């Protein structure tokens, strides 16, 4: 706050900061130790802005450049508004600075900085990549302006891109930058709070929660406002109660009492009426309204106009909206400024506090308010650039709805052009829900909405709006695109699988002139997620999509087709999947740099895991994750890759820390039903490991039903298999067989034999336990015949294990042992160590019955694997088997801490990240682990290699056979 602001006539604002000495000291200390981030949290009127304003006068901040921006309730199509506000006047500071070429991406946001920014880079055909480049440019400019303090106020009103940028910035802030964020805790969404939940360990972090003032502090504040006069404890207590300890309310109530004449200056002190005669209102609202009512007519008009305008405007705009004659305008504005309600800086005025503005706005009659909004709509159109969001807001409040629709649609178009998809979607959704539109225009706006929400991370449910637009007769191309977008939306929300299928099928008839969209629709129709559609029909759509490839010029659409078709072919065992995957690798150079490339690798990799191609899955998903982390600032694509990699970790036996990873992933993102269900399936399959089988069985049942409802056929065999094993162990095999019948029938109907064979051993074991050996034999024969000629890496191991179970049930021990031993070897090659250990355990039981000495080492191998994975349920069972035959196996190590010949995949990943220079905190964020777990894995890796430092570890990783 400037000195001029403090010298308000009839002082309203305290010249000194009261009751905030400790918070200010913490704030200053953190800002003076960059890189740092400080959150100042508190309710409206608590003094967040005043605290931050005092920061610039502290000696610790001498020499720092302050960059200040604020979020607003009325949003503009321009993204990143607070950052634009903070940086738009920094041209002089950037003159002569050698900026990174990536800063040229900021030209569309900062035309006023054209003289100092590098040339604009070539446009990209990927909106996520464009946004990532924009964020990098902002980071480069902020680094160039250091040492600096970036202040972003009222973050509870922030647009999504601002929150995303701040998350990007705070993940690796420039070394000379401190960031100060203010928000109202009760209004801050989860994404805002998460910004500073896990700061890098190199970043100084403070979270300052401002409390209300107590009676002593209220007394000091009142004395400061009243020129140091003595304030009685009784009056201070009364004031504190009526103001609820809010500094803003205390200031307003004192101003009101003075304007009433109940506080009178007298011989160096203040004369007051008796306290019981002071009708002091509670809070701010009534106080502000009464003060404004006591002003001159011109000042009241200026205050009401400022309240309607809501945001800072030039004085000329304010007086135009107020309708004040030129001769009287400045006197009226000065009166409101002197009352402390408005503040002025460089000829721009605004309400000092939003609560006061709201109070004045509420006091204006409806007719007067509409007239002021109409005047505001006209006046702000003279600003440059035209604030389309504010124009639309004022037109709507003025009741001029036809004009509101036009401007809102224009603002949405501008937002979409600038990559601000959230604001585009919000504007269009608002118009479609509340405006009376003719059918074709409604359809056109619905199409724009459909494309906007398709780009969003958090997808709103706009099914009703898109469906409503389709209820009218429309031109064929419009109808086709709208049907396609509705199908896409139903695909994301998974609300009605059959409706989604019909929508895409209907769209195809209208998309003859749109081959890219037609191919996309064919791929969607080829995904075998709808129970009532036979597999040959799905495959026919996929073949048709492949036939359209020569007519498609767009590389992203080509990759979509190749990736999704290869994904389905993997699930059904069509060997062509490998050739299509190779085409993806060739077209991308083996790297995933853009969203379409990431999606292709992720689609194939995820399905490869389900089908048993575990190594291929690990490789493709790792490429996808690395690509996603390099372009996707929202974290959505990377989250999906991490979810798929969690399933790969489960299949490959990398269970150490996996449960923790799943919990952290689930808490990080709660808005992706497909990925959350995948994570829940992995968690359910891990649930029996500690030995709590009853709770695990309930969880597995719930997950099976949920996966069935979502149509994720390829995921079903995982929870089904574990549910059968747990139920059989608890003597409930017959009941479990009934529970999974629908699921097994679904994946068989869909032809997912290579995926479904994963559950065959558990199903055969359950049937045998239920006394149904003939059905067990029929299951094995059916799968064996259906899998002939298919690419199904799980089939040899799964069928051999199933035949071993049948032989063991008839006490054909040698035959059973041979089947189990061969199955274990097949599982190890995948690799699938958990299943291999089960087969080893089963082989050992048969060998014990034969008196074969190979039983002991075979069982010990299984026990070692169970112990290393933390599979306590299996470990206890195998240990009981050993004791039954007179063995006392030594307890295995709780985890693979380097006692084995090689590191686990998770230990290798931690070691490589550490060797690359990442801190434990950074590795934890990268891998969705706690720092404690990272420390454990890193310690295991260093013990394995005998490394005493990360440098030595890097050398061992690069030259594993060397010194």
């Amino acid at each position: 706050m400037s000195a001029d602001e403090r010298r308000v006539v009839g002082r309203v604002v305290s010249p000194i900061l009261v009751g905030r000495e400790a918070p200010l000291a913490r704030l200053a200390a953190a800002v003076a130790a960059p890189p740092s981030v400080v959150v100042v949290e508190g309710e409206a009127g608590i003094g967040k802005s005043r605290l931050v304003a005092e920061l610039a006068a502290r000696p610790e901040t001498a020499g720092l450049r302050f960059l200040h921006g604020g979020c607003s309730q009325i949003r503009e199509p321009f993204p990143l508004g607070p950052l634009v506000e903070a940086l738009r006047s920094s041209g002089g500071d950037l003159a002569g600075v050698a900026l990174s070429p990536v800063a040229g991406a900021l030209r569309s946001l900062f035309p006023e900085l054209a003289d100092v920014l590098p040339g604009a880079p070539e446009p990209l055909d990927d909106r996520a990549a464009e946004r990532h480049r924009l964020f990098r440019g902002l980071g480069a400019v902020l680094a160039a302006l250091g040492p600096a303090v970036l202040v972003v106020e009222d973050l509870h009103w922030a647009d999504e891109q601002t929150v995303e940028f701040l998350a990007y910035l705070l993940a690796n802030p420039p070394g000379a930058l401190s960031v100060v964020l203010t928000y109202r805790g009760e209004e801050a969404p989860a994404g805002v709070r998460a910004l500073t939940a896990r700061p890098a360990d190199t970043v100084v972090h403070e979270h300052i929660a401002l409390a209300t003032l107590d009676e002593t502090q209220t007394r000091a504040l009142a004395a400061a406002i009243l020129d140091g006069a003595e304030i009685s404890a009784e009056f201070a207590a009364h004031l504190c109660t009526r103001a609820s300890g809010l500094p803003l309310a205390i200031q307003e109530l004192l101003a009101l009492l003075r304007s009433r004449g109940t506080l009178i200056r007298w011989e160096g002190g203040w004369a007051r009426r008796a306290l019981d005669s002071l009708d002091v209102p509670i809070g701010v609202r009534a106080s502000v309204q009464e003060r404004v009512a006591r002003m001159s007519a011109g000042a009241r008009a200026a205050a009401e106009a400022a309240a309607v305008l809501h945001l800072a405007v030039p004085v000329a705009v304010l007086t135009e909206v107020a309708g004040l004659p030129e001769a009287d305008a400045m006197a009226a504005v000065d009166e409101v400024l002197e009352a402390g309600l408005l503040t002025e800086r460089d000829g721009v005025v605004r309400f000092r506090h939003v609560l006061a503005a709201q109070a004045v706005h509420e006091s204006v009659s409806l007719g007067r308010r509409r007239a002021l909004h109409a005047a505001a709509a006209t006046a702000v159109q003279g600003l440059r650039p035209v604030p389309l969001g504010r124009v639309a807001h004022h037109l709507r409040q003025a009741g001029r709805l036809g004009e509101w629709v036009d401007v809102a649609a224009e603002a949405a178009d501008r937002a979409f052009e600038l990559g601000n998809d959230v604001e585009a979607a919000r504007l269009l959704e608002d118009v479609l829900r509340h405006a009376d539109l003719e059918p074709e225009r409604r359809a056109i706006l619905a199409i724009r909405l459909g494309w906007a929400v398709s780009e969003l991370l958090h997808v709103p449910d706009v099914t009703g709006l898109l469906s409503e637009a389709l209820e009218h007769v429309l031109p064929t191309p419009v109808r086709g695109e709208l049907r396609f977008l509705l199908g896409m939306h139903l695909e994301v929300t998974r609300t009605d699988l059959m409706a989604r299928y019909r929508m895409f099928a209907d769209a195809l008839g209208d998309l003859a002139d749109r081959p890219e969209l037609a191919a996309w629709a064919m791929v969607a129709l080829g995904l075998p997620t709808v129970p009532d559609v036979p597999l040959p029909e799905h495959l026919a759509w996929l073949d048709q999509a492949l036939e359209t490839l020569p007519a498609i010029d767009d590389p992203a659409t080509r990759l979509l087709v190749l990736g999704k078709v290869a994904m389905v072919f993997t699930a059904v065992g069509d060997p062509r999947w490998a050739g299509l995957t190779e085409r993806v690798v060739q077209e991308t150079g083996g790297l995933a740099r853009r969203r379409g490339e990431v999606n292709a690798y992720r689609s194939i990799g995820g399905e490869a895991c389900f089908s048993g191609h575990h190594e291929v899955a690990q490789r493709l998903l790792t490429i996808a994750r690395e690509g996603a982390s390099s372009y996707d600032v929202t974290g959505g694509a990377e989250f999906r890759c991490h979810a798929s990699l969690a399933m790969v970790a489960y299949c490959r036996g990398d269970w150490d820390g996996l449960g923790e990873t799943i919990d952290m992933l689930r808490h990080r993102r709660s808005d992706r039903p497909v990925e959350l269900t995948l994570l829940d399936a992995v968690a359910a399959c891990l649930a029996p490991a500690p030995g709590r089988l009853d709770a695990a069985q309930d969880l597995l049942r719930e997950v099976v039903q949920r996966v069935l409802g979502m149509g994720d056929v390829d995921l079903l065999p995982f929870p089904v298999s574990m549910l059968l094993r747990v139920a059989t162990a608890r003597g409930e095999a017959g009941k479990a067989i009934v529970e999974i019948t629908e699921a097994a029938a679904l994946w068989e109907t869909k032809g997912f034999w290579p995926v479904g064979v994963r559950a065959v051993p558990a199903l055969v074991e359950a049937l045998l336990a239920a006394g149904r050996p003939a059905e067990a034999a029929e299951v094995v024969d059916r799968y064996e015949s259906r899998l002939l000629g298919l690419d199904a890496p799980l089939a040899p191991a799964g069928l051999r294990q199933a035949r071993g179970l049948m032989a063991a049930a008839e006490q054909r021990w040698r035959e059973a042992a041979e089947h189990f031993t061969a199955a274990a070897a097949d599982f190890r090659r995948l690799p699938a160590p958990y299943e291999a250990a089960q087969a080893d355990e089963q082989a050992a039981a048969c060998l014990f019955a034969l008196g074969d000495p190979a039983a002991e080492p075979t069982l010990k191998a299984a026990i070692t694997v169970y112990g290393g994975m933390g599979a306590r349920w299996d470990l206890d069972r195998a240990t009981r088997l050993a004791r039954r035959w007179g063995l006392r196996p030594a307890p295995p190590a709780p985890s693979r801490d380097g006692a084995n010949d090689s590191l686990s995949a998770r230990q290798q990943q931690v070691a490589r990240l550490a060797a690359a220079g990442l801190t434990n905190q950074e590795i934890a964020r990268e891998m969705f682990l706690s720092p404690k777990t990272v420390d454990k894995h890193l310690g295991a890796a260093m013990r394995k290699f005998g490394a005493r430092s990360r440098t030595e570890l890097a050398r061992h990783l690069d030259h594993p056979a060397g010194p």
Side-chain angles (χ1 to χ4, degrees), residues 527-538:
L527 300 178
T529 57
V530 186
D532 298 330
V533 178
L535 179 64
E537 185 173 330
H538 288 301

Side-chain angles (χ1 to χ4, degrees), residues 81-133:
L83 280 303
V84 173
E85 180 185 350
L87 295 175
R88 64 168 20 128
S89 61
S90 60
D93 298 320
L94 292 170
V97 176
L99 290 171
S100 166
V102 76
L106 304 179
R107 282 179 165 269
S108 62
L109 280 182
F110 298 98
E112 53 270 83
L113 302 183
D115 293 340
V116 296
L117 290 175
E122 289 295 319
L124 302 173
D125 59 358
D126 188 315
R127 293 174 73 80
E130 288 273 15
R131 182 158 38 181
H132 185 258
R133 187 167 65 180

Side-chain angles (χ1 to χ4, degrees), residues 797-819:
L799 293 175
R800 281 171 172 160
Q801 187 179 17
R803 291 203 178 279
L805 288 164
M806 291 191 298
E810 297 177 358
Q811 298 187 7
R812 291 182 278 122
W813 304 121
R814 180 61 63 188
E815 179 186 347
E818 290 172 354
H819 280 306

Side-chain angles (χ1 to χ4, degrees), residues 260-279:
R260 288 178 177 176
T262 55
L263 286 176
I264 305 170
R265 186 82 177 190
W266 183 259
E267 295 182 354
W270 293 91
R272 302 178 294 278
R273 294 182 181 176
L275 286 179
D276 55 8
S277 67
L278 288 178
D279 178 22

Side-chain angles (χ1 to χ4, degrees), residues 753-813:
W753 302 99
V755 175
V757 73
R758 186 182 293 273
V760 165
L763 178 56
V764 166
E765 183 181 32
L767 287 166
L768 291 171
R772 297 155 65 175
E775 293 177 55
E778 193 277 329
V779 167
V780 176
D781 290 342
R782 182 169 72 250
Y783 273 81
E784 196 164 51
S785 65
R786 293 287 190 168
L787 287 162
L788 283 174
L790 299 184
D791 186 344
L794 284 167
L799 293 175
R800 281 171 172 160
Q801 187 179 17
R803 291 203 178 279
L805 288 164
M806 291 191 298
E810 297 177 358
Q811 298 187 7
R812 291 182 278 122
W813 304 121

Side-chain angles (χ1 to χ4, degrees), residues 615-666:
E615 294 287 11
V616 173
Q618 180 76 29
R619 177 170 57 86
L620 296 179
L621 288 169
T622 299
I623 293 172
R625 187 199 66 217
E626 291 172 352
S629 65
S630 68
Y631 85 85
D632 179 29
V633 294
T634 69
E638 189 175 5
F639 169 76
R640 291 189 283 275
C641 293
H642 275 292
S644 294
L645 281 166
M647 179 58 84
V648 175
Y650 173 78
C651 293
R652 289 166 53 89
D654 295 323
W655 290 13
D656 194 9
L658 182 56
E660 179 186 12
T661 296
I662 291 169
D663 287 342
M664 296 184 77
L665 284 167
R666 288 195 92 271

